[in-house]
Amino acid sequence: MRTKIVAGNWKMNNDLAQTETLITELKRQNNPSDVEVMIAPSFTNLWQAFNSLKDDSIEVIAQNMHFADSGAYTGEVSGEMLKSLGIKTVILGHSERRAYFNETDELLAKKVDAALKNDIRVIFCFGEELKDRKSEKHEDVVGNQIKNALFHLEAEAFKNIVLAYEPVWAIGTGETASPEQAQDMHSFIRKTLADKYGKDLAESVSILYGGSCKPSNAKEIFSKPDVDGGLIGGAALKAEDFFAIANSF
Ligand code: PEP
C-alpha cells in the first residue's frame, strides 16, 4: 500500500509571527491517521516550525536546498544544514524554481543526489506548460523531466523519492487538471517508472498531484487510483482548507 501524502508548500509566505499563528491553527485540526501531512515554511522559520511541531504528527519539510554540503554559495542552504535541524524531506524541482531560478534537469539531478546522500527524502516536482499540453507533448515533457533528473538512481533510492506532478498551467491559476487528466498523467508516470525499474517499484512510489487543489476538488482528484495525495500551495495557507484537503481521501 502506497503512502498517502498531503504536503503544504508555503512558498515565500508567512513571517515568524504568522508561521506561529498558522501552526497553532494547524494543531487544532483533525489530523487523519493514515495520511502523512507536511508543511514547508521558509528557511528562516524552519527551526521555529520544527520545534513547535516536534510532538505533532505534522512533518516540517524544506522548500529547496543546494547540491553542495558547504562552501562559497552565498545565500544558499545545504542538505547538511537541513539535516542538522532534523529536516527529513525536501521539495526539489518546483516549477517556480525551474522558471525563476533557472533550475535545469541536470542541476536537479545533483540536488537529488545531495539530498539522498544526507538521508533526506525528496518530493520531486515536474509538469508541463500549457503550450506542451496544447501541442500534445505533455507526456514527452514529463517523461524527460523524470528521466533526466532521476533515472541515474539505483532502484533502492526510490524508497526516498516521492513524485509530484504539477502542470504549470494549474499552479496558482485557479485552473485545476481534471481528475481524468491527473489520472492519465499519473498512470503514464507509473508506466515510465515500470519500464525502467519494474512494476513492483512503480507501484510502490507515491505520486502527488499539485495545481490549484482545494477542498472542493481534492476528493475527486484523490479518488483516482494513481493519485496518492497532493502538493498544496495557496490552500495550505489556511488551516481549515489544508485539513479539509488532507481529509479528502
Ligand atoms: C504549488 O505551488 O506547488 C501549488 C500546487 O500551488 P497552488 O496549489 O497554489 O496551485
Side-chain angles (χ1 to χ4, degrees):
M1 183 99 137
R2 289 189 292 272
T3 311
K4 294 183 197 135
I5 296 172
V6 170
N9 174 13
W10 288 10
K11 312 192 185 190
M12 198 172 70
N13 292 299
N14 292 331
D15 63 16
L16 185 58
Q18 290 163 331
T19 297
E20 281 174 0
T21 304
L22 184 47
I23 285 177
T24 304
E25 288 166 8
L26 289 173
K27 282 175 156 179
R28 286 199 202 112
Q29 306 289 321
N30 266 342
N31 204 349
S33 59
D34 59 342
V35 180
E36 284 191 26
V37 178
M38 309 170 185
I39 57 165
S42 325
F43 285 135
T44 53
N45 301 320
L46 273 183
W47 179 234
Q48 179 67 27
F50 184 81
N51 280 301
S52 301
L53 288 166
K54 209 165 51 258
D55 301 319
D56 199 280
S57 58
I58 301 172
E59 183 185 347
V60 176
I61 70 173
Q63 295 179 19
N64 181 33
M65 58 172 266
H66 196 268
F67 60 80
D69 283 338
S70 61
Y73 298 102
T74 303
E76 291 290 324
V77 169
S78 74
E80 269 191 4
M81 291 169 180
L82 295 177
K83 191 178 175 181
S84 75
L85 295 188
I87 299 296
K88 293 195 165 62
T89 307
V90 65
I91 299 170
L92 292 178
H94 193 279
S95 62
E96 288 151 15
R97 302 254 6 134
R98 292 176 190 259
Y100 307 141
F101 302 97
N102 303 318
E103 295 201 357
T104 60
D105 293 343
E106 292 68 33
L107 175 77
L108 290 168
K110 286 163 83 174
K111 289 191 175 204
V112 168
D113 289 346
L116 297 177
K117 190 186 81 177
N118 282 294
D119 300 319
I120 298 175
R121 169 171 61 170
V122 174
I123 298 182
F124 183 73
C125 307
F126 49 85
E128 83 282 1
E129 293 179 32
L130 190 58
K131 67 173 168 41
D132 305 319
R133 187 157 278 269
K134 284 195 165 150
S135 58
E136 299 190 358
K137 298 235 164 60
H138 46 294
E139 290 190 348
D140 290 347
V141 168
V142 162
N144 285 332
Q145 286 172 325
I146 294 172
K147 286 174 195 163
N148 293 342
L150 300 179
F151 275 16
H152 63 289
L153 297 172
E154 301 288 337
E156 186 69 13
F158 279 83
K159 287 195 181 116
N160 285 315
I161 302 278
V162 172
L163 300 179
Y165 168 56
E166 299 205 300
V168 177
W169 48 271
I171 295 183
T173 58
E175 193 167 335
T176 321
S178 70
E180 291 69 33
Q181 284 173 320
Q183 169 56 27
D184 285 351
M185 184 56 93
H186 283 222
S187 151
F188 166 77
I189 294 162
R190 226 176 272 295
K191 184 178 174 310
T192 305
L193 282 181
D195 289 346
K196 165 84 176 167
Y197 294 102
K199 199 162 184 293
D200 286 355
L201 183 142
E203 286 298 323
S204 72
V205 175
S206 296
I207 309 177
L208 315 184
Y209 167 78
S212 299
C213 198
K214 29 188 188 262
S216 58
N217 58 26
K219 212 174 208 138
E220 224 189 320
I221 297 172
F222 292 177
S223 71
K224 294 296 175 191
D226 285 302
V227 179
D228 304 307
L231 183 55
I232 317 299
L237 299 173
K238 272 179 132 184
E240 240 175 79
D241 287 356
F242 185 55
F243 272 89
I245 294 171
N247 282 289
S248 291
F249 289 92

